[in-house]
Amino acid sequence: MAGTGTAHLRNAADTLLRVENLVVEFPVGRTGLKVNAVSGISLDVLRGETLGLVGESGCGKSTTGRAIMQLPRPTSGSVSFEGKELTSMGGDQMREARTRMQMIFQDPISSLNPRRKVRDIVMEPLTIWKRGTKADRDQRVDAVLEEVGIDPQRAAESQPHQFSGGQCQRISIARSLVLDPSMIICDEPVSALDVSVQAQVLNLLEDLKARYGLTLVFIAHDLAVVKNISDRVAVMYLGKICEVAGSDELYRRPAHHYTNVLLSSIPVPDPSIAVQRHPIEGEPPSPVLPPPGCRFHTRCPAAEDRCAAEEPQLREIGDGHFVACHFPVHGGDAPVAVRSSSSAG
Amino acid sequence: MTITADPVLSAPPPAPADTPTQRPARRSIKLGMWVGVAWLAALALCTLFAGQLSFVRGYDTKLKVGGKTGRYNIGPGTRAWMGTDSSSHDVFARCIYAARITLTIGVLATVIGLVLGGVLGIICGYYQGWADRLGSIVTDSLLALPPLLLALLLVYRMDDLNKEYSWLHWLTREWEITLTLGILAIAPFARIARAQTIALRDREFVLAARSLGAKSSRVIAREIVPNLIPAMLTVAVTGLGILVAAEGALAFLGLGVQRPLTWGKMISDGQRDLGRAWWATIFPCMFLFLTVISFNLIGDRLARRFDIREAAI
Amino acid sequence: MSLNVSQAATRDSGDPLLELRDVKTHFRTPRGIVRAVDGVSFTLDRGKALGIVGESGSGKTILSRSIMGLLPPKGAIRSGSIKFEGREIGNLGRKKMRDVWGKEMAMIFQDPMTSLNPLMKIGKQIAEPLKIHLGMDNTSALATAERLLQDVRIPEAHRRLSQYPHELSGGMRQRVMIAIALACGPTALFADEPTTALDVTVQAQILDLLEEQRKDRNMSLILVTHDLGVVAGHTDEIAVMYGGQLVEMAPTRVLFANMKMPYTEALLQSIPKIEDPSHTRLMAIGGRPPDLVNPPRGCRFAPRCPYVREKCENEMPPLEPAESPGHVYRCWYPVGSPEYLEFKERNEQAAAAGADVPVAIGGAA
Ligand SMILES: Nc1ncnc2c1ncn2[C@@H]1O[C@H](COP(=O)(O)OP(=O)(O)OP(=O)(O)O)[C@@H](O)[C@H]1O
Ligand SMILES: Nc1ncnc2c1ncn2[C@@H]1O[C@H](COP(=O)(O)OP(=O)(O)OP(=O)(O)O)[C@@H](O)[C@H]1O
Ligand code: SF4
Ligand code: SF4
Ligand SMILES: [Mg+2]
Ligand SMILES: [Mg+2]
């Protein structure tokens, strides 16, 4: 198998979302080349769980999130949500399914139509699906706006640009809530916000999650933020998954060399702690021609010959802790594959 | 402002840079727009109320010298500001009346181009894939032929159709020219609508609407079209100027409207006697020129206001 | 670089490099006067790194632009004194500032994507200031440019000279921006949120690079950011801004060990910390930053402060020195004072009783 494996998938009864071998490719102009944005990712999220997805810019986090929503449909792979396969669904069925999962985007301002009133924006999902009477809808919208801390009166009179970034993010959260979804995919919802506003939004998400029993997929490049909100974290590099573990476990005992790098890059708000750096040089390689074998081998401090030749598969090295690395920081080297490694990058 | 000017400012500060060097340019663009608006407003007033205005003679009034009409018998002066033409009509009055038909043709053609081109562009940009390829073939082929040749073909073809089918009797020369110009305008409008739609399509608020389960038609009507309007209007204004000029070019090639005259027809009629009576050509030219320039100036200003890149047009 | 050697001599006199006294920058707007920077005073020594932190809209950018003389020409009213190397630069015109920019002070901006001229090769963009300010000829300017690119750790520096900005990644472009800013060997470098648009891994690299270059060149660095975490490891001193005012300033270690201002404390507590277990409740600052047209009469933080008392609402606290040298703060009831402790206990009891205090998620923020 050419992916990084599915060993980490659980066979629990209350699995809400299960993604297997998701591949998304974009053509590069008319050159015949393609951007390997996501190359065989597998994930699962249980009901009520928060899955964090971290990685550098361009590693395919947003593409994964959008492919789960089928916007656009993935090149290949399977996405099963609430027990139903989304990739083979027809247009109308898919529209219906999308009401059960929602997405919040990074740029709070550009995710709201600049030419409409905020209240109408939040009302839109109810209008599309013609839910309830006009009075029911009004009531619902007001309730949700109150819940996220936006004055409904002001929302009726104002356009998005009249609100601050943090408020716009609350408005998009309100919009994603009115249809009562079971899962929300948050694509870097706090990256564009100030630290203090970021804390408000993270707290709000935690509160709403508890109140509505939501399941979250939380995408971010900041490991500290992801750790704060997630139960389980998947680390991505160049379209592949490197490591999956419970969030406390991942921080305590990172096994993949790339996770180590990410962790040591976090600025520590305490000058008395001397940070132990694992600096990496250079930039991530182009996703058009990704390196063969382990995609991280061009920058990995522990790379050996085997890393360039053979792609590591995800394997369990601890309770619920999975890593795709031949020579991880801990957990023992991967057994040499019995089959000859014909796996392509 | 570039590095050459001051190295530290290798980037202009994000605050709207209102440096002294930029100000005169911006002001002259603003001024230009107001000159354009003033000209068009004056023209529109004269045209609409031509019958009531004492300084505009009737369309068919002939000016006589010594009780007789004559070819170009009066030059520009106090009796007739812009002289008379080959059949003794007042050139000024005719220019005013010609504005009616010229502008009507221009506006109708623009609307045709805007609607058809807009729809085509939005469909191509939004659905992409085979719809886009098909649409691109249409626009590319419209753009590949020399526009005047295409116009000639279209007008002659419509002439034939008109003769063949009696139910096409309404297809007079005016309509033929309007339709032809409208068809010519489709491709440019389609191009800009497509480019803008592609840009909007991946904006997050459009994705958000789609992820709410909105139908494509709703996404287009609610999210995309309102955000396309500024750009399309800007192009429409500039395009109107171009279409007015194109009508002139068609008339010059002998595809003019017979009656009432258009500026183009007046110019093409007058130019044979340019040496003898320059005024019968130069003044309609002036009207045409000022109008085209006015539309351009207004279009420029709108483009700046809405930040629309020329490359897209 | 040779130019550094000649300048280093002038750099080691005793007085501070930068001295601000009661600097105010207000803007005339239709809504009224916006007090973007409202009476800031501090001094900065040569070769030191100063972090300016605060929420969005607290006036960090306007303060650093006021010092550099880069304010928008429309509607800005500036007063107070800014001394740079003992010379008053607050009232110099744009023409005179040109000699200061680049050679004495340089700036790098937040967005590396829009800060470079997209139509000019990298080499030319770096060489240009060298030719203008230092009168270098083309060949030596390009050679210096290549060395600068090596200094900022850009691999294959020679090849990059003839590339255009769009051929580089965001992190690379920010490095090029730094190279341009360093080109004429400035005495002070202003970095306005230099890493906000970048990834964590790249952010760490850029911050390390800035620190290394500052030490190598004995240059002062003013690092503007909203993230206390960013400045903690890379500055000697930190100035905290709130509502256009300086509310606390101290050497970095002193500030973190012994912060006085409740706002600084709140700012620090709102950052998710990697050592905390997941789902740790974050302390958010409720409410909104003050309206700079009609700022609160007393302490500007009073409407959001969990320790507010009547005095805070009526009287503006002065900037007072704390025990350790170089530490000043602006608060009537600083962290650790009996009044502070009393209210802290009260808030904790209220929180235990289920009320959403002391620092609630921002209500109708
Ligand atoms: N529509 C597209 N066409 C072509 N390439 C694309 C497209 N969308 C994304 N890509 C490419 O796919 C890769 C993954 O992009 P993606 O946006 O998923 O990254 P990301 O991890 O979300 O990064 P960021 O943190 O910057 O948001 C990138 O190399 C990107 O350039
Ligand atoms: N040209 C201007 N005219 C009027 N008000 C202005 C102008 N420029 C800035 N302001 C106001 O001055 C205040 C301070 O702005 P400044 O850009 O310094 O904030 P900041 O601390 O840098 O915030 P951020 O973190 O968002 O960059 C803001 O309230 C802003 O609205
Ligand atoms: S497989 Fe090899 S290159 Fe990849 S992370 Fe592990 S040690 Fe490094
Ligand atoms: S002066 Fe009062 S309101 Fe202001 S920070 Fe201190 S305790 Fe809070
Ligand atoms: Mg993304
Ligand atoms: Mg700023």
Side-chain angles (χ1 to χ4, degrees):
Chain A
M1 191 173 46
T4 33
T6 53
H8 59 300
L9 295 185
R10 295 159 290 186
N11 277 319
D14 53 351
T15 300
L16 185 74
L17 174 76
R18 191 180 165 98
V19 176
E20 272 180 77
N21 296 319
L22 189 73
V23 176
V24 184
E25 290 162 357
F26 298 106
V28 183
R30 284 178 190 160
T31 54
L33 294 172
K34 56 192 198 288
V35 181
N36 299 282
V38 175
S39 313
I41 272 187
S42 304
L43 294 169
D44 61 352
V45 192
L46 308 187
R47 217 172 266 280
E49 189 180 54
T50 301
L51 173 76
L53 207 55
V54 264
E56 263 168 298
S57 180
C59 72
K61 306 180 297 292
S62 303
T63 308
T64 306
R66 290 178 186 188
I68 293 173
M69 297 285 295
Q70 312 289 307
L71 290 171
R73 288 185 185 268
T75 313
S76 72
S78 117
V79 179
S80 133
F81 173 71
E82 293 186 323
K84 291 189 284 270
E85 179 59 42
L86 299 184
T87 46
S88 55
M89 255 184 198
D92 279 345
Q93 254 182 315
M94 190 56 229
R95 289 202 309 119
E96 188 90 46
R98 275 188 197 136
T99 63
R100 308 284 306 138
M101 47 183 188
Q102 288 295 310
M103 196 154 180
I104 307 174
F105 300 92
Q106 170 167 2
D107 185 347
I109 302 188
S110 93
S111 59
L112 305 174
N113 187 339
R115 283 169 207 281
R116 300 184 67 186
K117 292 275 177 353
V118 163
R119 202 163 180 288
D120 296 340
I121 293 176
V122 178
M123 178 86 80
E124 179 78 3
L126 297 174
T127 323
I128 293 173
W129 293 98
K130 303 194 178 59
R131 293 269 172 90
T133 61
K134 177 89 179 62
D136 292 344
R137 284 182 227 161
D138 280 335
Q139 207 187 351
R140 173 86 184 135
V141 168
D142 289 352
V144 172
L145 280 172
E146 293 276 0
E147 186 115 52
V148 300
I150 299 287
D151 178 16
Q153 190 59 42
R154 194 163 159 227
E157 292 158 3
S158 321
Q159 289 178 325
H161 67 87
Q162 287 163 288
F163 288 91
S164 71
Q167 288 174 319
C168 284
Q169 201 55 284
R170 286 159 188 270
I171 293 165
S172 4
I173 293 176
R175 171 177 58 189
S176 70
L177 280 178
V178 287
L179 284 177
D180 249 326
S182 57
M183 179 176 81
I184 301 188
I185 299 175
C186 311
D187 188 0
E188 312 225 19
V190 295
S191 305
L193 305 176
D194 232 275
V195 271
S196 54
V197 184
Q198 163 177 307
Q200 293 174 12
V201 172
L202 289 175
N203 282 347
L204 176 68
L205 281 173
E206 289 271 28
D207 290 345
L208 294 172
K209 191 185 155 204
R211 190 156 327 158
Y212 291 92
L214 289 170
T215 304
L216 299 183
V217 175
F218 192 97
I219 300 173
H221 63 254
D222 184 340
L223 208 55
V225 168
V226 166
K227 182 186 179 208
N228 181 272
I229 198 161
S230 312
D231 303 304
R232 206 161 182 246
V233 177
V235 181
M236 276 183 76
Y237 183 79
L238 213 61
K240 301 249 183 196
I241 288 190
C242 310
E243 184 165 8
V244 183
S247 51
D248 291 324
E249 161 77 9
L250 185 82
Y251 167 69
R252 214 167 28 241
R253 288 153 34 88
H256 200 280
H257 300 278
Y258 179 63
T259 314
N260 238 355
V261 169
L262 273 184
L263 275 171
S264 69
S265 310
I266 300 170
V268 181
D270 186 349
S272 56
I273 295 177
V275 188
Q276 194 201 346
R277 278 281 161 74
H278 302 269
I280 46 168
E281 287 296 318
E283 312 265 330
S286 154
V288 176
L289 294 167
C294 172
R295 288 195 175 179
F296 189 53
H297 82 255
T298 51
R299 301 162 83 196
C300 179
E304 292 183 22
D305 290 347
R306 182 175 168 197
C307 303
E310 184 192 336
E311 174 161 32
Q313 301 287 307
L314 271 163
R315 63 199 169 90
E316 187 159 19
I317 54 163
D319 184 25
H321 191 156
F322 298 84
V323 68
C325 173
H326 296 308
F327 313 107
V329 180
H330 64 84
D333 295 354
V336 179
V338 183
R339 286 182 295 132
S340 70
S341 59
S342 59
S343 49
Chain B
M1 191 163 32
T2 62
I3 312 240
T4 338
D6 34 60
V8 195
L9 284 180
S10 44
D18 203 356
T19 58
T21 41
Q22 283 177 325
R23 235 177 272 153
R26 196 178 291 181
R27 203 172 287 159
S28 76
I29 283 175
K30 225 172 181 168
L31 185 73
M33 180 191 73
W34 287 116
V35 170
V37 168
W39 165 256
L40 291 179
L43 186 67
L45 279 179
C46 290
T47 310
L48 284 175
F49 300 106
Q52 281 89 320
L53 294 174
S54 58
F55 58 87
V56 184
R57 291 198 173 86
Y59 183 77
D60 289 316
T61 309
K62 295 197 174 191
L63 272 87
K64 295 176 185 167
V65 175
K68 277 190 257 165
T69 60
R71 286 168 74 78
Y72 310 112
N73 55 4
I74 301 175
T78 42
R79 247 194 98 194
W81 297 345
M82 298 182 182
T84 57
D85 66 7
S86 60
S87 45
S88 288
H89 295 111
D90 182 5
V91 172
F92 175 68
R94 290 227 141 170
C95 278
I96 294 290
Y97 280 96
R100 266 188 197 175
I101 180 78
T102 313
L103 291 180
T104 312
I105 290 180
V107 169
L108 283 178
T110 308
V111 169
I112 292 172
L114 183 69
V115 171
L116 295 183
V119 169
L120 185 64
I122 291 173
I123 290 176
C124 290
Y126 188 79
Y127 290 99
Q128 299 181 334
W130 63 266
D132 193 14
R133 278 194 289 280
L134 201 69
S136 297
I137 292 173
V138 174
T139 46
D140 286 351
S141 41
L142 278 176
L143 285 173
L145 288 167
L148 281 178
L149 182 64
L150 187 62
L152 284 174
L153 282 175
L154 282 170
V155 173
Y156 284 132
R157 182 73 198 124
M158 282 193 243
D159 271 351
D160 296 344
L161 288 174
N162 192 355
K163 281 180 207 122
E164 258 171 66
Y165 303 101
S166 59
W167 56 269
L168 278 178
H169 64 94
W170 55 270
L171 194 65
T172 54
R173 230 337 138 58
E174 286 94 320
W175 277 110
E176 284 176 13
I177 290 177
T178 310
L179 285 178
T180 305
L181 292 178
I183 290 169
L184 285 183
I186 288 178
F189 279 114
R191 280 213 158 169
I192 185 150
R194 175 176 174 273
Q196 295 264 325
T197 307
I198 289 177
L200 285 169
R201 202 191 118 93
D202 286 328
R203 286 286 295 279
E204 298 182 331
F205 65 86
V206 176
L207 280 182
R210 291 174 67 200
S211 72
L212 291 169
K215 288 201 180 118
S216 298
S217 54
R218 188 178 176 97
V219 175
I220 289 173
R222 290 294 180 104
E223 316 289 337
I224 293 194
V225 170
N227 288 290
L228 275 180
I229 285 173
M232 296 301 278
L233 279 188
T234 307
V235 187
V237 170
T238 313
L240 194 50
I242 297 172
L243 289 183
V244 167
E247 189 280 329
L250 280 184
F252 212 80
L253 293 177
L255 294 176
V257 174
Q258 292 313 314
R259 185 199 153 84
L261 289 173
T262 63
W263 291 328
K265 183 78 172 123
M266 289 175 74
I267 297 167
S268 87
D269 286 354
Q271 52 92 25
R272 269 169 279 136
D273 301 313
L274 192 57
R276 209 175 130 201
W278 54 269
W279 55 86
T281 314
I282 296 303
F283 286 112
C285 276
M286 188 190 79
F287 270 81
L288 181 67
F289 176 74
L290 285 177
T291 307
V292 171
I293 285 283
S294 296
F295 279 121
N296 263 313
L297 288 172
I298 299 172
D300 267 7
R301 170 83 187 121
L302 290 178
R304 246 160 228 259
R305 169 77 182 64
F306 296 123
D307 193 21
I308 291 153
R309 259 160 264 129
E310 268 166 60
I313 299 179
Chain C
M1 276 166 58
S2 58
L3 47 127
N4 279 332
V5 183
S6 61
Q7 284 185 359
T10 60
R11 277 182 185 173
D12 290 319
S13 52
D15 41 281
L17 178 75
L18 188 62
E19 189 171 357
L20 268 67
R21 184 133 331 126
D22 199 27
V23 172
K24 291 188 180 161
T25 306
H26 296 178
F27 290 99
R28 245 180 261 112
T29 68
R31 242 169 32 88
I33 303 277
V34 175
R35 298 158 193 279
V37 174
D38 211 15
V40 170
S41 312
F42 66 78
T43 58
L44 176 66
D45 288 336
R46 273 159 223 280
K48 292 281 195 257
L50 168 72
I52 302 183
V53 251
E55 270 168 288
S56 184
S58 57
K60 311 178 296 285
T61 298
I62 301 297
L63 176 62
S64 53
R65 295 225 165 136
S66 303
I67 300 172
M68 289 214 48
L70 282 174
L71 289 172
K74 260 209 293 199
I77 321 162
R78 222 198 49 73
S79 67
S81 137
I82 300 171
K83 283 201 176 133
F84 186 78
E85 298 194 302
R87 178 163 71 126
E88 178 64 43
I89 55 163
N91 44 22
L92 290 186
R94 249 174 195 265
K95 260 234 173 75
K96 291 229 171 100
M97 282 310 282
R98 264 183 221 294
D99 295 333
V100 176
W101 291 334
K103 270 194 281 189
E104 318 248 349
M105 299 189 211
M107 188 157 198
I108 47 181
F109 297 94
Q110 173 170 349
D111 191 354
M113 303 298 158
T114 54
S115 306
L116 289 167
N117 182 343
L119 300 178
M120 211 193 265
K121 285 180 182 162
I122 303 289
K124 193 156 181 229
Q125 303 205 34
I126 308 176
E128 206 76 24
L130 292 169
K131 288 197 257 180
I132 294 172
H133 279 272
L134 306 179
M136 287 189 184
D137 60 48
N138 202 30
T139 338
S140 59
L142 277 177
T144 312
E146 189 177 334
R147 206 159 53 240
L148 281 163
L149 286 182
Q150 283 162 0
D151 283 351
V152 296
R153 303 273 139 76
I154 288 186
E156 302 170 81
H158 187 72
R159 193 167 61 86
R160 306 284 176 186
L161 289 177
S162 51
Q163 283 188 322
Y164 288 94
H166 70 90
E167 296 172 56
L168 305 183
S169 69
M172 289 277 203
R173 277 184 246 190
Q174 197 60 296
R175 286 168 194 266
V176 171
M177 282 301 300
I178 296 175
I180 293 176
L182 293 177
C184 298
T187 328
L189 179 65
F190 288 76
D192 190 353
E193 313 238 6
T195 57
T196 307
L198 304 174
D199 252 325
V200 263
T201 48
V202 186
Q203 162 169 308
Q205 294 168 6
I206 296 282
L207 290 173
D208 289 345
L209 171 70
L210 282 173
E211 178 159 4
E212 168 200 303
Q213 291 296 321
R214 170 174 72 85
K215 290 189 172 145
D216 283 1
R217 292 161 188 261
N218 188 25
M219 166 181 86
S220 295
L221 174 69
I222 290 100
L223 191 62
V224 176
T225 168
H226 65 257
D227 191 343
L228 262 179
V230 166
V231 288
H234 295 274
T235 54
D236 302 306
E237 283 191 276
I238 293 181
V240 182
M241 296 216 26
Y242 186 78
Q245 291 179 325
L246 195 66
V247 293
E248 184 157 15
M249 183 163 172
T252 305
R253 277 167 183 278
V254 174
L255 187 88
F256 278 93
N258 189 15
M259 49 185 60
K260 290 284 180 195
M261 174 73 188
Y263 175 66
T264 315
E265 189 190 37
L267 208 54
L268 183 65
Q269 284 174 346
S270 64
I271 306 173
K273 274 158 226 62
I274 198 81
E275 328 55 86
D276 291 345
S278 67
H279 303 295
T280 302
R281 182 109 187 140
L282 297 171
M283 303 289 244
I285 311 174
R288 297 248 273 145
D291 177 5
L292 295 178
V293 176
N294 292 306
R297 191 151 50 101
C299 171
R300 297 209 166 154
F301 188 50
R304 306 167 74 190
C305 181
Y307 311 103
V308 59
R309 287 166 188 256
E310 202 176 322
K311 186 176 181 187
C312 308
E313 280 164 0
N314 295 319
E315 288 173 56
M316 162 126 40
L319 204 57
E320 272 184 284
E323 310 85 71
S324 42
H327 186 177
V328 288
Y329 65 93
R330 194 189 278 279
C331 175
W332 291 122
Y333 309 110
V335 176
S337 68
E339 292 90 345
Y340 166 90
L341 293 172
E342 181 196 330
F343 272 26
K344 187 176 161 89
E345 197 171 317
R346 180 201 63 180
N347 292 341
E348 275 164 9
Q349 278 163 8
D356 212 2
V357 281
V359 267
I361 59 156

